[in-house]
Amino acid sequence: MEHSTGIVCPLMVADIGQVLPMARLLQQRGGTGRLWLGQSLRVETHQVFATLTGMGVRIPMGSGVALAPLRHPYDAAMQARSVAALSGMPYVAGIGPAAPEFQRSLRKDPYAAPLAAMREYVSIMRRLLAGEHVDFAGDHYHVRGRLVPQPHSGVELGLGVLRPRMARLAGAVADVAVTWMTPAHYVADTLVPALAEGATAADRPRPRVATMVHVAVARPGRDIRRTALAGAGAHLGAAHYTDMLRRAGVEAWPDDPAAGADALVKSGVFVSGSADDIARDLDAYRRSGVDEIALNPAGVIQSEGLGAAMTDLEDIFTALDRLHG
């Protein structure tokens, strides 16, 4: 599989100017890296992608991840196909179930069986995107109909993956496993085998792995541990992320995000050092089975602003070019 390096914009976008510099940087690099966005509850993620396309940005894009409780899989398929059709570039529709608290805020009850719900969701999307008439009544989703035909450049389906059970499901139904803050050795030793197991059972190819990696260049006056806490603090307060990290040997607990941030830095999951150091350290992810790396400058954006984050991204890409020729 071909390796690529993209960027994840770590903001809930409120203005296109927050994401445009990252998109332009990837465009200047020939569109070889993907621009990823998580779920924005300000300006909706797919509309951000459509706006970038209208501004002439032609690069691969992906949601990492869109939250399933916000939309029916029919609408999710239509939104993803719309981005692919407007941009003329392949799109990764990454989906995640969200935390139970978020599910409960939008549904009568949280998913009784999150894995079964995601299997239904992604399977419905795949059949709709293939042009099928779908008549399906599951435990979580019902649909009877098809998408109106519309040419597009291709949609791949992704699942947010942190732990082995979701990885096995992704192996069975997804094209891409989207991981956040997952240590390289954990990807290699835990997630990739589970993905392969699910793919083998379903008699299909193993999904690609796309991993969002926190990065910050070490600079005079920059406190890397504070930067890590600024960028990863929200995830370090979430039980499912800290459970994944502890499985990987990183001591993180949801009641102490500051200690978790220290552990991220100490373990190298928050990748720092010189730009050349970071470029070399990212190769550990490629050797571990990661096919797409998305540089996540969340800590620098949150603590120092977009300009400082863009300087980091430009320096890291220059170092990657030096390393890989």
Side-chain angles (χ1 to χ4, degrees):
M1 294 181 180
E2 184 177 350
H3 297 287
S4 65
T5 304
I7 301 171
V8 56
C9 177
L11 302 171
M12 285 193 185
V13 177
D15 181 277
I16 200 66
Q18 294 175 303
V19 66
L20 183 60
M22 299 178 199
R24 292 289 193 208
L25 176 58
L26 291 172
Q27 187 175 42
Q28 290 164 12
R29 294 183 56 78
T32 57
R34 191 179 310 276
L35 175 67
W36 295 86
L37 289 178
Q39 179 65 63
S40 176
L41 300 177
R42 291 181 173 144
V43 176
E44 206 283 324
T45 300
H46 297 87
Q47 295 189 36
V48 174
F49 288 139
T51 299
L52 289 171
T53 296
M55 299 176 76
V57 177
R58 296 291 190 273
I59 55 174
M61 302 175 186
S63 59
V65 292
L67 301 182
L70 286 171
R71 55 178 56 87
H72 188 276
Y74 185 99
D75 184 58
M78 191 165 58
Q79 295 279 356
R81 189 185 68 173
S82 297
V83 176
L86 291 170
S87 69
M89 300 294 289
Y91 181 70
V92 173
I95 307 295
E101 296 78 13
F102 188 83
Q103 297 168 21
R104 191 177 292 111
S105 71
L106 296 177
R107 299 168 52 88
K108 181 180 178 182
D109 297 298
Y111 296 123
L115 291 178
M118 292 303 96
R119 180 183 291 273
E120 290 183 12
Y121 200 102
V122 172
S123 298
I124 290 169
M125 286 184 69
R126 185 176 298 284
R127 292 179 61 191
L128 290 168
L129 288 164
E132 294 182 32
H133 183 281
V134 180
D135 190 350
F136 177 85
D139 293 330
H140 300 87
Y141 290 100
H142 295 216
V143 63
R144 182 178 294 113
R146 64 184 301 172
L147 292 178
V148 175
Q150 167 64 44
H152 62 92
S153 55
V155 174
E156 293 182 293
L157 297 175
L159 273 176
V161 169
L162 291 178
R163 293 176 285 194
R165 291 179 64 207
M166 188 64 88
R168 281 190 286 274
L169 174 61
V173 302
D175 305 306
V176 184
V178 183
T179 82
W180 279 74
M181 222 160 61
T182 44
H185 69 86
Y186 178 79
V187 174
D189 299 339
T190 301
L191 296 185
V192 167
L195 286 166
E197 181 183 337
T200 298
D203 192 24
R204 62 189 305 274
R206 177 180 70 77
R208 296 198 322 280
V209 179
T211 298
M212 315 294 145
V213 181
H214 281 283
V215 293
V217 176
R219 300 188 187 279
R222 178 176 287 173
D223 185 323
I224 293 297
R225 284 177 169 77
R226 288 187 180 180
T227 303
L229 180 59
H235 285 158
L236 289 169
H240 54 307
Y241 277 96
T242 52
D243 176 72
M244 174 274 294
L245 287 168
R246 291 194 303 278
R247 289 170 186 245
V250 180
E251 285 299 315
W253 299 87
D255 60 351
D256 195 351
D262 288 348
L264 286 188
V265 173
K266 183 177 180 181
S267 65
V269 178
F270 191 97
V271 183
S272 61
S274 70
D276 289 307
D277 292 335
I278 291 171
R280 286 190 294 270
D281 289 346
L282 291 174
D283 271 355
Y285 285 88
R286 304 185 198 284
R287 293 191 299 271
S288 297
V290 174
D291 306 288
E292 291 191 41
I293 292 172
L295 304 177
N296 182 1
V300 177
I301 281 186
Q302 296 294 348
S303 56
E304 300 177 42
L306 178 58
M310 289 304 304
T311 299
D312 271 20
L313 292 171
E314 290 163 1
D315 288 353
I316 293 167
F317 275 120
T318 298
L320 285 167
D321 291 341
R322 282 196 296 267
L323 183 64
H324 296 292

